[in-house]
Amino acid sequence: MNDNIQEFNYCTGVILAKLYESFPIRIRLSDYQLCGLVEHKPHYNQVGRFEGSYEAPDGSLSTPDQSEMKLYQDTIKWLAEFGFITGNVQPWGIERATLTPQGLHMLTAKHGGTEGGDKPENFGKSILRAMLDEAKAQLADFTGQALAAYTKEMIRQ
């Protein structure tokens, strides 16, 4: 599979997992937090100017990968544009984000791709489990399957 598609599926999976986990509570998703800087906050220099670094609780500074941040920003826009998520889209992410009925429908669909194989699990649970286990390839795979199954269902209608 194309690396861009794998990366898109991974980013989509992270976003959807966070929204599935918090549903129906609306949350804020920022690009730098999605890149793993969860406990960080933007760092401003002595004159109050943001220079692209984020400060951890211990005072250390980190600078996330700009291309990864851009991928999350564009993925949020795509998911909102095509009706899977809703909220106030911002250049840095999304405020008051939640799943739409369409997004929730996609994530509650059952599939047979679980390890046990005996009981089908819904895509939302599989995607969330893969994110929590930090199983990047599995997260991208389940997300791609969910998007494909949903698209196939919509085409049949």
Side-chain angles (χ1 to χ4, degrees), residues 35-105:
C35 289
L37 303 179
V38 178
E39 299 295 322
H40 292 61
K41 60 184 179 182
H43 174 73
Y44 299 93
N45 67 15
Q46 295 167 343
V47 294
R49 184 172 180 204
F50 176 68
E51 295 179 339
S53 295
Y54 295 87
E55 187 174 345
D58 68 4
S60 63
L61 296 178
S62 297
T63 304
D65 181 307
Q66 294 299 309
S67 63
E68 185 180 8
M69 287 176 62
K70 173 90 169 103
L71 183 57
Y72 275 112
Q73 293 162 1
D74 289 345
T75 301
I76 286 169
K77 290 174 188 166
W78 188 90
L79 288 167
E81 183 178 336
F82 288 96
F84 293 102
I85 66 174
T86 188
N88 302 327
V89 177
Q90 303 292 329
W92 47 261
I94 187 168
E95 293 179 315
R96 298 189 36 76
T98 192
L99 295 168
T100 62
Q102 177 178 323
L104 187 60
H105 176 77

Side-chain angles (χ1 to χ4, degrees), residues 18-38:
K18 289 183 178 295
L19 294 175
Y20 183 81
E21 181 178 43
S22 69
F23 188 81
I25 307 300
R26 292 177 175 267
I27 62 172
R28 179 180 190 261
L29 296 173
S30 64
D31 50 11
Y32 70 91
Q33 290 172 327
L34 290 167
C35 289
L37 303 179
V38 178

Side-chain angles (χ1 to χ4, degrees), residues 105-151:
H105 176 77
M106 178 180 68
L107 294 177
T108 56
K110 303 265 190 228
H111 69 97
T114 58
E115 292 173 13
D118 54 340
K119 285 190 350 188
E121 184 174 57
N122 72 41
F123 281 112
K125 287 180 182 176
S126 297
I127 289 169
L128 179 59
R129 185 173 24 79
M131 183 192 72
L132 294 173
D133 291 346
E134 298 181 18
K136 187 173 181 175
Q138 191 176 33
L139 177 58
D141 187 44
F142 281 136
T143 304
Q145 288 177 36
L147 288 167
Y150 183 81
T151 302

